[in-house]
Every structure is written in structure tokens, then in C-alpha cells.
Amino acid sequence: MKELIFGILSFLFIVSASALLFLYWFAPFNDVEFITKPEFRNNYNFSLNGTTIQFYENLRYPSERISYKIDDICNLQKKADAENAIEILENLTILDFYPVITNEEIFITCENKIKTDERFFVAGEGGPTNITKTENFNVILHGGVLLLRKSECERPNIALHELLHAIGFDHSTNPNNIMYNISKCSQVLGDDIPETINKIYSVESKADLSFENVSAAIKGRYIDLNATIRNNGLKISDNAKIMIFADDKLQKEVEIEPIQIGYGITLTFKNIFVSDFNVKEIKVAINSSVEELDKNNNQIILETKK
Ligand SMILES: [Zn+2]
């Protein structure tokens, strides 16, 4: 009798053990977990080696005050996600976002359709849509955010990720960082993104008119002159005056209209009469009453060839 009970028990044990084994081998939990590479454990930063974390160097909006508009088609949850993401960035950086009805710098819109990218659901899209390159900056004149999937996380991680793309941040290779290309609720912003933002935006939003390609020729007592002036700054320039001097005597003065960021104008002068013979030096100067990023590039001196 004892043997019989023992036999039944051991039979049951083998059956249940193999059932467990079967479940273990053939019905794995469908949870995808990222294996963090050792160098990224306890590291939440965008990068480990301080390499460029934006799409381009010095990529920024003209001012630390950035306007935005959330599309009316976004539902309440996505609208709240976008607003919370904006607030998180405002609290961590010197950036200040303000809503506008038209002519926004960042447009946030939404779609409910499900998009897939081979293996993954696409959570959203974001990035600069208009960049103007100047001497010192890549200036974002417009950016966009598209929210597709609603956030399942406590923090609005998807909206924050897309907003950071719109501000110019690329993807990170650190799975702990918010800019990793696959979204996970535990991902955080880290320290280097706010530090980068604060550094780039520490330069005030000012215009910067400067000379490019200036050439002149003297024929007897007449000067011909060509000058290209570009705004390499972070703001549209004000009205300014271009003054042409021959040996420090003012010969000609013209007003120029405001110039947009990154734009330039070329001025051509023919037959400017000079009262003196033997001009040694021609000076062209930009006279603007407003502050600029750099005033040292506001004049150029051309020496006459002997
Ligand atoms: Zn992304």
C-alpha cells in the first residue's frame, strides 16, 4: 500500500515537473527587458564621453523664450502630456515656453493611427523642421512634434522625448536615458541634456551684422565698392547705417533695412567722389545703435595697393 501511494505521488511529481518544464520552455513571459551594458549601469546621462548630443553643433532656437502651439486635434491626455513635458524642461533649464495662436516656433500635433516601423510601434516623431546656418550657430526657426501613442508612464516620457528632438537632441545609446530610441517608463533626462541646453542658451539673443566679401577700386577721384553684409546673430537686425570713409573722411552713408537671421545683402556703389587724391585707406563701417553679439566685426579696412 505504501509503495502504491509513493508510486502515485512520484508519478504526479514527474507529471507536474514536466508540465512546469514545458511551460518554462515553451511559454516564456512576453516581457522585453533591456540589458543595460555595464558602462551604462547607474548612468542616466545621454552620453558617456561628452560627444555631440545634438544633430548639429550649437543648435538652438533664436531665444531662450520659445513659442509653441498645441494642435486642437490633440485629445486632453496628449495635450496634458505635452504641457507637462514643457513644464519639466522649464524647471530643469533656463528655457521658457509660451503659447501662441499663430507663428509658433514649435508646433505640437497628434494622430491616433498606429504606425509601425518594422519591429516597433512608433510612439511619436519630433525634430527641427527649419534650420538656418550662421557663422556661430545652427538656428532652429521651426520645429515639430507629432504624438501618436498615449503615454503609459507616470511621466510624459514620449512627449518629453519628442520635444527634446524638436529642440535638437539626437538619440542616445544609453537605454536609461530619455533619448534612447525605444521608450521605457524608467528612462530619465539625466544631467547632460539640461547642462547642454543651459550652455547653448547662455548666449543672449542679439543680432550680429558682419562683413563678408568687401572689395573696392579707385579710379582717379572715384571709388567703386562692393560689400556683402550678413546677420550672423540670433535676432533680426535693426535699421543700421553703412558708412564709407576714405582716409577717415566720411564719403558716403546709406541706411540698410533690418536683415533676418542668416540673411545677407550686397551693396554696390559706383563712382563715389573723393575730394582727396592718393587715398591710402578705405574703411567701411556698420553703424547700428543696438547691441550685437560681436561689435568687433562691424568695420573693415582696405588698403590701396601701391
Ligand atoms: Zn526618437
PDB file of all heavy atoms in Angstrom, residues 291-304:
ATOM      1  N   GLU A 291      22.662  96.667 -29.408  1.00  0.00           N
ATOM      2  CA  GLU A 291      23.718  95.743 -29.004  1.00  0.00           C
ATOM      3  C   GLU A 291      23.777  94.573 -29.972  1.00  0.00           C
ATOM      4  O   GLU A 291      22.766  94.116 -30.476  1.00  0.00           O
ATOM      5  CB  GLU A 291      23.398  95.190 -27.621  1.00  0.00           C
ATOM      6  CG  GLU A 291      23.908  96.039 -26.490  1.00  0.00           C
ATOM      7  CD  GLU A 291      23.871  95.244 -25.206  1.00  0.00           C
ATOM      8  OE1 GLU A 291      24.783  94.439 -24.985  1.00  0.00           O
ATOM      9  OE2 GLU A 291      22.903  95.430 -24.453  1.00  0.00           O
ATOM     10  N   GLU A 292      24.981  94.085 -30.226  1.00  0.00           N
ATOM     11  CA  GLU A 292      25.162  92.927 -31.091  1.00  0.00           C
ATOM     12  C   GLU A 292      25.989  91.876 -30.345  1.00  0.00           C
ATOM     13  O   GLU A 292      26.615  92.176 -29.337  1.00  0.00           O
ATOM     14  CB  GLU A 292      25.894  93.323 -32.374  1.00  0.00           C
ATOM     15  CG  GLU A 292      25.081  94.238 -33.267  1.00  0.00           C
ATOM     16  CD  GLU A 292      25.724  94.420 -34.641  1.00  0.00           C
ATOM     17  OE1 GLU A 292      26.566  93.597 -35.013  1.00  0.00           O
ATOM     18  OE2 GLU A 292      25.366  95.395 -35.307  1.00  0.00           O
ATOM     19  N   LEU A 293      25.996  90.649 -30.870  1.00  0.00           N
ATOM     20  CA  LEU A 293      26.802  89.591 -30.257  1.00  0.00           C
ATOM     21  C   LEU A 293      28.272  89.987 -30.284  1.00  0.00           C
ATOM     22  O   LEU A 293      29.014  89.734 -29.351  1.00  0.00           O
ATOM     23  CB  LEU A 293      26.622  88.274 -31.015  1.00  0.00           C
ATOM     24  CG  LEU A 293      25.277  87.566 -30.882  1.00  0.00           C
ATOM     25  CD1 LEU A 293      25.287  86.282 -31.684  1.00  0.00           C
ATOM     26  CD2 LEU A 293      24.955  87.280 -29.419  1.00  0.00           C
ATOM     27  N   ASP A 294      28.679  90.607 -31.394  1.00  0.00           N
ATOM     28  CA  ASP A 294      30.077  90.985 -31.548  1.00  0.00           C
ATOM     29  C   ASP A 294      30.147  92.269 -32.354  1.00  0.00           C
ATOM     30  O   ASP A 294      29.720  92.314 -33.499  1.00  0.00           O
ATOM     31  CB  ASP A 294      30.810  89.840 -32.282  1.00  0.00           C
ATOM     32  CG  ASP A 294      32.294  90.117 -32.452  1.00  0.00           C
ATOM     33  OD1 ASP A 294      32.773  91.138 -31.919  1.00  0.00           O
ATOM     34  OD2 ASP A 294      32.963  89.308 -33.120  1.00  0.00           O
ATOM     35  N   LYS A 295      30.662  93.330 -31.755  1.00  0.00           N
ATOM     36  CA  LYS A 295      30.757  94.614 -32.470  1.00  0.00           C
ATOM     37  C   LYS A 295      32.099  94.742 -33.192  1.00  0.00           C
ATOM     38  O   LYS A 295      32.303  95.642 -33.988  1.00  0.00           O
ATOM     39  CB  LYS A 295      30.575  95.783 -31.492  1.00  0.00           C
ATOM     40  CG  LYS A 295      29.110  96.030 -31.122  1.00  0.00           C
ATOM     41  CD  LYS A 295      28.552  97.276 -31.782  1.00  0.00           C
ATOM     42  CE  LYS A 295      27.117  97.518 -31.311  1.00  0.00           C
ATOM     43  NZ  LYS A 295      26.446  98.588 -32.033  1.00  0.00           N
ATOM     44  N   ASN A 296      33.043  93.829 -32.871  1.00  0.00           N
ATOM     45  CA  ASN A 296      34.375  93.925 -33.488  1.00  0.00           C
ATOM     46  C   ASN A 296      34.366  93.630 -34.980  1.00  0.00           C
ATOM     47  O   ASN A 296      35.305  93.988 -35.672  1.00  0.00           O
ATOM     48  CB  ASN A 296      35.345  92.963 -32.794  1.00  0.00           C
ATOM     49  CG  ASN A 296      35.616  93.408 -31.377  1.00  0.00           C
ATOM     50  OD1 ASN A 296      35.651  94.608 -31.094  1.00  0.00           O
ATOM     51  ND2 ASN A 296      35.776  92.451 -30.486  1.00  0.00           N
ATOM     52  N   ASN A 297      33.312  92.946 -35.449  1.00  0.00           N
ATOM     53  CA  ASN A 297      33.276  92.636 -36.890  1.00  0.00           C
ATOM     54  C   ASN A 297      32.484  93.681 -37.659  1.00  0.00           C
ATOM     55  O   ASN A 297      32.029  93.451 -38.758  1.00  0.00           O
ATOM     56  CB  ASN A 297      32.708  91.226 -37.113  1.00  0.00           C
ATOM     57  CG  ASN A 297      31.348  91.043 -36.459  1.00  0.00           C
ATOM     58  OD1 ASN A 297      30.653  92.013 -36.151  1.00  0.00           O
ATOM     59  ND2 ASN A 297      30.953  89.802 -36.253  1.00  0.00           N
ATOM     60  N   ASN A 298      32.303  94.861 -37.071  1.00  0.00           N
ATOM     61  CA  ASN A 298      31.477  95.890 -37.705  1.00  0.00           C
ATOM     62  C   ASN A 298      32.249  96.885 -38.550  1.00  0.00           C
ATOM     63  O   ASN A 298      31.688  97.855 -39.014  1.00  0.00           O
ATOM     64  CB  ASN A 298      30.651  96.650 -36.651  1.00  0.00           C
ATOM     65  CG  ASN A 298      29.431  95.854 -36.236  1.00  0.00           C
ATOM     66  OD1 ASN A 298      29.416  94.640 -36.385  1.00  0.00           O
ATOM     67  ND2 ASN A 298      28.410  96.527 -35.741  1.00  0.00           N
ATOM     68  N   GLN A 299      33.542  96.656 -38.713  1.00  0.00           N
ATOM     69  CA  GLN A 299      34.242  97.513 -39.669  1.00  0.00           C
ATOM     70  C   GLN A 299      35.347  96.752 -40.379  1.00  0.00           C
ATOM     71  O   GLN A 299      35.870  95.760 -39.876  1.00  0.00           O
ATOM     72  CB  GLN A 299      34.744  98.791 -39.012  1.00  0.00           C
ATOM     73  CG  GLN A 299      35.998  98.654 -38.196  1.00  0.00           C
ATOM     74  CD  GLN A 299      36.528 100.036 -37.826  1.00  0.00           C
ATOM     75  OE1 GLN A 299      35.762 100.943 -37.528  1.00  0.00           O
ATOM     76  NE2 GLN A 299      37.842 100.196 -37.865  1.00  0.00           N
ATOM     77  N   ILE A 300      35.644  97.232 -41.577  1.00  0.00           N
ATOM     78  CA  ILE A 300      36.662  96.565 -42.370  1.00  0.00           C
ATOM     79  C   ILE A 300      37.516  97.650 -43.030  1.00  0.00           C
ATOM     80  O   ILE A 300      36.986  98.690 -43.437  1.00  0.00           O
ATOM     81  CB  ILE A 300      36.014  95.586 -43.368  1.00  0.00           C
ATOM     82  CG1 ILE A 300      37.041  94.650 -43.956  1.00  0.00           C
ATOM     83  CG2 ILE A 300      35.257  96.306 -44.476  1.00  0.00           C
ATOM     84  CD1 ILE A 300      36.436  93.345 -44.465  1.00  0.00           C
ATOM     85  N   ILE A 301      38.822  97.426 -43.055  1.00  0.00           N
ATOM     86  CA  ILE A 301      39.726  98.426 -43.641  1.00  0.00           C
ATOM     87  C   ILE A 301      40.405  97.850 -44.864  1.00  0.00           C
ATOM     88  O   ILE A 301      40.963  96.741 -44.821  1.00  0.00           O
ATOM     89  CB  ILE A 301      40.757  98.910 -42.589  1.00  0.00           C
ATOM     90  CG1 ILE A 301      40.032  99.714 -41.504  1.00  0.00           C
ATOM     91  CG2 ILE A 301      41.854  99.763 -43.243  1.00  0.00           C
ATOM     92  CD1 ILE A 301      40.837 100.031 -40.290  1.00  0.00           C
ATOM     93  N   LEU A 302      40.343  98.577 -45.955  1.00  0.00           N
ATOM     94  CA  LEU A 302      41.010  98.136 -47.184  1.00  0.00           C
ATOM     95  C   LEU A 302      42.135  99.112 -47.468  1.00  0.00           C
ATOM     96  O   LEU A 302      41.918 100.327 -47.484  1.00  0.00           O
ATOM     97  CB  LEU A 302      40.037  98.158 -48.363  1.00  0.00           C
ATOM     98  CG  LEU A 302      38.735  97.374 -48.228  1.00  0.00           C
ATOM     99  CD1 LEU A 302      37.789  97.749 -49.344  1.00  0.00           C
ATOM    100  CD2 LEU A 302      39.000  95.880 -48.258  1.00  0.00           C
ATOM    101  N   GLU A 303      43.335  98.567 -47.668  1.00  0.00           N
ATOM    102  CA  GLU A 303      44.465  99.438 -48.007  1.00  0.00           C
ATOM    103  C   GLU A 303      44.639  99.459 -49.511  1.00  0.00           C
ATOM    104  O   GLU A 303      44.500  98.444 -50.159  1.00  0.00           O
ATOM    105  CB  GLU A 303      45.734  98.928 -47.323  1.00  0.00           C
ATOM    106  CG  GLU A 303      45.809  99.378 -45.886  1.00  0.00           C
ATOM    107  CD  GLU A 303      46.980  98.797 -45.160  1.00  0.00           C
ATOM    108  OE1 GLU A 303      48.002  98.465 -45.806  1.00  0.00           O
ATOM    109  OE2 GLU A 303      46.876  98.646 -43.934  1.00  0.00           O
ATOM    110  N   THR A 304      44.951 100.639 -50.048  1.00  0.00           N
ATOM    111  CA  THR A 304      45.128 100.703 -51.506  1.00  0.00           C
ATOM    112  C   THR A 304      46.484 100.155 -51.874  1.00  0.00           C
ATOM    113  O   THR A 304      47.472 100.363 -51.171  1.00  0.00           O
ATOM    114  CB  THR A 304      44.989 102.150 -52.031  1.00  0.00           C
ATOM    115  OG1 THR A 304      45.848 102.966 -51.259  1.00  0.00           O
ATOM    116  CG2 THR A 304      43.566 102.648 -51.894  1.00  0.00           C
TER     117      THR A 304
END
